[in-house]
Amino acid sequence: GTFGWVVPEDKNIVRIGLIGNKNVKEQFDKLCKDYNITKILCYQGGIIPKYNRKVKTQKDNVYLIGDAALQVKATSAGGIIQSLIAGQALTKAITKNKSYEKEWRKQMGKDLWLHAVMRKIMDKLKDKDVEYCIKLCNQKRIKKILETSDREYPSKFLLKMLIKEPRLLYFTKFLL
């Protein structure tokens, strides 16, 4: 799978979830077993959109924002902040008679694309590669960058990381 989570609501109830591409039911059952989840109150499921920079988000007076516009970080499946940014871009576009498409892409298009590239790499990693990445990122000089950077915007920290730790370039081979 891609990743899973367990979030307690109170001492008796948790929300448990999984994002994956194949065998999701089996992986979910294993996650429940690992956390000794014995009773399920309800199931919810859905498709998480994947960013695609070719998708048009404006046609005449019709606009798409958030999940509908595929404005979702591929690394974490998060999109709340991107939806808020898109909402601001739409407001500016309408009130100032500008292109909504250009406004939101200027603010987050590059970073959504970088998240997609990072996801492509992450999906190809084997356990030993993940361990190597963790080892490199656990160094003080890299940790400092990660701790002080807004991870919504990889364009603002990836180059800094590569300069401080060129061995991170090892992971670019997974783009092929």
Side-chain angles (χ1 to χ4, degrees):
T2 305
F3 60 87
W5 62 91
V6 177
V7 179
E9 285 196 10
D10 62 34
K11 67 180 185 159
N12 297 312
I13 296 176
V14 298
R15 289 192 181 265
I16 184 168
L18 178 80
I19 293 176
N21 293 318
K22 33 187 162 165
N23 304 321
V24 177
K25 172 75 170 103
E26 292 85 11
Q27 292 175 35
F28 180 79
D29 291 344
K30 182 181 181 323
L31 188 60
C32 288
K33 185 178 177 187
D34 290 348
Y35 283 91
N36 198 26
I37 307 296
T38 56
K39 181 178 177 185
I40 296 180
L41 300 177
C42 70
Y43 287 94
Q44 295 177 345
I47 295 172
I48 296 173
K50 289 186 175 185
Y51 176 69
N52 179 343
R53 63 182 171 172
K54 293 179 182 176
V55 167
K56 298 293 174 211
T57 57
Q58 174 184 354
K59 182 169 179 164
D60 301 324
N61 289 330
V62 177
Y63 308 92
L64 300 176
I65 68 169
D67 285 8
L70 309 180
Q71 296 163 334
V72 177
K73 294 180 304 196
T75 53
S76 67
I80 293 172
I81 292 172
Q82 289 66 31
S83 295
L84 294 171
I85 291 169
Q88 290 173 335
L90 180 56
T91 299
K92 184 176 180 182
I94 290 171
T95 59
K96 300 193 180 208
N97 198 26
K98 296 194 172 228
S99 165
Y100 163 64
E101 194 91 37
K102 287 181 182 175
E103 285 298 317
W104 80 258
R105 288 185 191 280
K106 179 173 56 175
Q107 294 180 49
M108 64 178 163
K110 176 174 41 174
D111 289 296
L112 286 173
W113 177 78
L114 282 170
H115 280 284
V117 168
M118 291 163 57
R119 169 51 58 201
K120 186 176 180 181
I121 291 170
M122 292 163 65
D123 286 345
K124 293 181 180 178
L125 299 179
K126 303 225 179 314
D127 288 347
K128 67 179 179 66
D129 301 312
V130 172
E131 289 168 15
Y132 183 52
C133 184
I134 290 168
K135 177 184 170 191
L136 294 178
C137 291
N138 266 332
Q139 299 172 91
K140 277 187 183 180
R141 63 182 185 256
I142 301 300
K143 267 183 153 177
K144 184 176 181 188
I145 293 169
L146 290 171
E147 289 170 351
T148 58
S149 298
D150 185 341
R151 282 175 255 168
E152 298 291 326
Y153 305 101
S155 63
K156 296 181 179 175
F157 66 85
L158 282 179
L159 185 58
K160 291 177 189 174
M161 289 176 63
L162 290 172
I163 290 169
K164 295 277 187 185
E165 182 47 84
R167 289 180 293 176
L168 287 167
L169 287 169
Y170 164 84
F171 298 99
T172 60
K173 76 178 189 176
F174 295 102
L175 290 172
L176 303 174

